[in-house]
Each structure stands twice: as C-alpha cells, then as structure tokens.
Amino acid sequence: MRFFRRSRKTDDDEQPPQDKTAAEAADEAVAHADAAAAVAVESAEPIVDAGAGADEEGLLREDVEQTDRALQRTKKSWFGHISGLFSRGDIDEELWEELEELLIGADTGVATTQKILDQVRERVESDGIRDAAEVEEALKETLVAVLNKPEGRGKLWGRDTSAPPKPAVILVLGVNGTGKTTTIAKLAYAFRAEGSKAIIAAADTFRAAAIEQVKAWGERVGAEVVAHKQGADPAAVVFDALTAAESRDADIVIIDTAGRLHTKFNLMEELSKLYRVIQRKEPSAPHEVLLVLDATIGQNALIQAEAFTKAAEVTSACLTKLDGTSKGGIVFAIADQLNIPVRLVGTGEQPEDLAPFDAETFVEALFR
C-alpha cells in the first residue's frame, strides 16, 4: 500500500525574505491558519467514499501529476531559470555562479548548494563532460542522490520490508500554522482509500480550536477521533486512542501533538511522557515520528526542524503548502542538513492532496 508501506528506490521571482526565528514565523501563521482551517472544514462536504481499491498504477500516476502541479510556481521561477542556463550551451564560470545564486534563491541553503555544486563540478571534470545537457543530467542525478541519502529509521515508510505492525502508530509533530492538522486528516483519508482503518488521537489539548478542527476533519474524511476536553492530559488521550484501536481492530493510530514551539526541556518532557504511554501499549512504537514543515517559510522550516530533532527522534518529514511557494529547494536542505527523509508532500487543500514523496519524480517535475 502506498501510504502504509512506501519503500523508496535505492541506487549503489522574488528575493528571499529576511530570516526570522522559527517562533516568529510560527506565531505569524497561527491566527491565519486557525481561521482558514475552521472555515475550510466547516464549509466542506463530508466524504462518503475514499475510493478504496483503486488500481496502483493509476494512483502512482496521480502522485506524479499532483507533484507536478504543486511545483508549478517553483518551476516558473528559480528552477525554471536553472533549465534556461543550460539551454545557453556554455559551460563556464559564469554558469556555475548563476547556478549557485539560483539554488540559494530557491531556499536550497548555502551549505547544501555548495555540496551539490562541488559534486556536479567534480563529475563534470572527471568524466570530461562538455555538453550542457549532460551537465544538467548530472545536476539532476546529484539532486536525486541528496534526497535519497537519508535512510530514516521508521518502520512504515523506510526500507524495512517486514509487515507493518498493527496498530501502527504515527506520532505527528509540527508548530501551529504548518498544516499539521490538515496533514493528519489527509493521512487518515489516504489510509481509508487503501482499505485501512485509522483512528486519530487529538492530543493537542492546549488549544480548543485544535481539538475542534481534528473532530471536524475526522467527520469529513470518515476517521474516528478520540478526544478529551481542552487542557486534558495529552498522554491520557493517547492511551484512550490506543485502547480504542485495539478494541476496534484499527490498522493505524495517528497522534496529533501540541503545536507550540516549547523550550527544548518542556518539549522533551512532554514527548517523553507520550513515548512512555505509547510503549506501554506497544514497545516498538511509535513506528513513525512525522515532522510537518511549511514549505512557504523556507529556511525557517529548517530552524523548526532542528528544534524538533533535538527533542525527538524524527524519522520522516512531510512538506506542506508546496503549491503555495515558488521555492521548493528547502526539501534538499532538510535531507542534507538534518538527514531526515521527506516521505510526503502536501499538494493542495483537499483531503486527496497528499502524495508519497519520490525523489526522481520530484526532481524531474522541477525541470520539466
């Protein structure tokens, strides 16, 4: 199944805004995100049939089309200009300098950009490449390699070919405004479309709005939501969700968590408590720790990711709002700088707008 088991292939316009701290970027997004999410969910029609049993070939083709649509703005700006560089036919120092400028402008990051260009230049020199089209192919292959390098330690979307545990447990992290709640709903919808039963644990009890949003989304996508009142102990919510999953023979439990940028100590304490409750029920869980990041905030997403990776063993990332940015390069920085595999990409606002991430598909879409 595409979402329950997603193994990767293996092989031996505008100037960027001034950087803000992760907390500042998150705070700016929270109020707007809460209001927009509430309006979107309340006005939406419930989904009766998620399309269980759809053919695999058609679903994979849809993944490619979704990724391509989501990258339209990026292709028309930074990466579109990169393709234009190679159409000139000249391989000179000016090309390398412009390529560096464009990659950094696309939020690839200085360190990651330098690493990519060093590898491409080394290959060009060692292979005696003189044709611009071949240099472009070398760049594509290097970008794919950067994305494929993180192996991840998760048990659902990694290279482990053993049967997924039941119930599988996904712990979802991310600050307010990243699209975390919507991503959880999309995941539940995707599992249902594949014939799996998902239960959502509304363990972000800090905000009443978060609980109500999860409930509304759960009703819309046909997923059961286990929730307590605002201010309740998140660990108690998780315990009840895991108990419900056992009694209802659910395949997967998706756990929402508080979307605040805590201090490192408080975040570690809260997550440690959740881990203890989860592992009391299932010692091998959580089977994935999914970090949701907003693609539109660029390098600030990297700052957020660093904060969470210091507090939890993040096994995978989901990049949301990819359709809302002209800079898709942050995905390379996440893979390179944090060694976190990107497993999912949000490609729109509808429940079906979530695609499993494939490095080759992503890079080809950038240059197409």
Side-chain angles (χ1 to χ4, degrees):
M1 292 184 285
R2 297 183 311 146
F3 285 87
F4 217 122
R5 167 69 60 203
R6 181 66 171 181
S7 296
R8 292 180 302 152
K9 300 174 184 177
T10 58
D11 298 308
D12 289 336
D13 348 76
E14 59 254 88
Q15 294 299 314
Q18 295 299 311
D19 285 343
K20 302 174 182 176
T21 66
E24 288 171 339
D27 288 341
E28 288 180 5
V30 171
H32 174 73
D34 284 349
V39 171
V41 175
E42 289 173 5
S43 62
E45 292 295 326
I47 295 167
V48 178
D49 183 3
D55 69 285
E56 182 72 11
E57 184 178 343
L59 290 170
L60 291 174
R61 185 169 57 250
E62 183 180 323
D63 291 345
V64 174
E65 292 172 353
Q66 281 186 315
T67 302
D68 190 66
R69 287 195 303 269
L71 289 171
Q72 284 300 315
R73 293 183 66 177
T74 296
K75 290 193 295 182
K76 290 177 180 178
S77 55
W78 303 98
F79 279 90
H81 296 323
I82 288 175
S83 294
L85 288 181
F86 294 109
S87 67
R88 298 191 319 220
D90 297 326
I91 306 173
D92 51 23
E93 196 59 35
E94 183 180 355
L95 179 141
W96 297 112
E97 290 176 359
E98 290 185 43
L99 187 54
E100 179 180 20
E101 181 180 336
L102 288 170
L103 285 172
I104 292 173
D107 274 332
T108 304
V110 175
T112 301
T113 294
Q114 194 60 57
K115 185 180 294 187
I116 290 168
L117 292 183
D118 285 348
Q119 292 176 7
V120 176
R121 294 189 75 156
E122 182 179 343
R123 178 173 169 185
V124 168
E125 292 173 9
S126 63
D127 293 358
I129 296 175
R130 295 292 179 266
D131 182 68
E134 291 184 41
V135 178
E136 184 175 14
E137 283 304 312
L139 173 61
K140 289 181 183 180
E141 291 173 11
T142 301
L143 293 173
V144 169
V146 168
L147 296 175
N148 277 336
K149 185 178 179 181
E151 295 188 4
R153 296 171 295 279
K155 299 178 179 67
L156 297 184
W157 301 316
R159 293 172 180 171
D160 183 357
T161 57
S162 59
K166 184 176 181 178
V169 178
I170 300 177
L171 186 65
V172 184
L173 311 177
V175 302
N176 295 328
T178 58
K180 176 168 59 73
T181 303
T182 307
T183 298
I184 288 169
K186 289 177 179 180
L187 264 178
Y189 174 83
F191 287 129
R192 184 184 173 207
E194 294 177 349
S196 300
K197 183 176 183 179
I199 287 180
I200 300 173
D204 181 357
T205 60
F206 183 73
R207 294 182 304 136
I211 299 171
E212 294 308 312
Q213 285 172 22
V214 171
K215 286 181 176 179
W217 270 114
E219 183 176 350
R220 184 181 177 193
V221 302
E224 180 179 350
V225 175
V226 175
H228 291 188
K229 295 180 180 180
Q230 181 184 6
D233 185 354
V237 179
V238 170
F239 181 85
D240 287 351
L242 293 172
T243 301
E246 291 174 348
S247 64
R248 294 163 177 70
D249 196 32
D251 298 291
I252 191 155
V253 177
I254 308 171
I255 302 173
D256 190 14
T257 58
R260 311 184 306 285
L261 268 179
H262 317 56
T263 64
K264 179 182 175 183
F265 176 78
N266 288 339
L267 177 59
M268 291 181 70
E269 282 294 299
E270 184 169 321
L271 291 177
S272 293
K273 188 174 182 181
L274 293 183
Y275 269 75
R276 288 195 297 272
V277 170
I278 292 169
Q279 291 173 354
R280 198 177 303 155
K281 283 283 190 180
E282 173 50 61
S284 67
H287 305 103
E288 291 285 346
V289 179
L290 178 66
L291 177 60
V292 180
L293 298 168
D294 180 352
T296 65
I297 65 173
Q299 289 293 306
N300 285 318
L302 198 63
I303 298 172
Q304 291 179 3
E306 288 173 342
F308 279 101
T309 54
K310 290 176 181 176
E313 187 177 351
V314 176
T315 63
S316 52
C318 173
L319 206 59
T320 65
K321 309 179 188 179
L322 197 59
D323 57 316
T325 180
S326 60
K327 305 174 182 182
I330 187 61
V331 65
F332 300 104
I334 292 167
D336 176 55
Q337 298 296 307
L338 299 178
N339 198 35
I340 299 174
V342 177
R343 300 297 194 196
L344 305 165
V345 288
T347 60
E349 298 179 355
Q350 299 306 310
E352 64 272 18
D353 291 335
L354 184 72
F357 182 83
D358 179 82
E360 290 85 354
T361 299
F362 184 85
V363 172
E364 282 300 323
L366 283 175
F367 286 83
R368 188 160 41 241

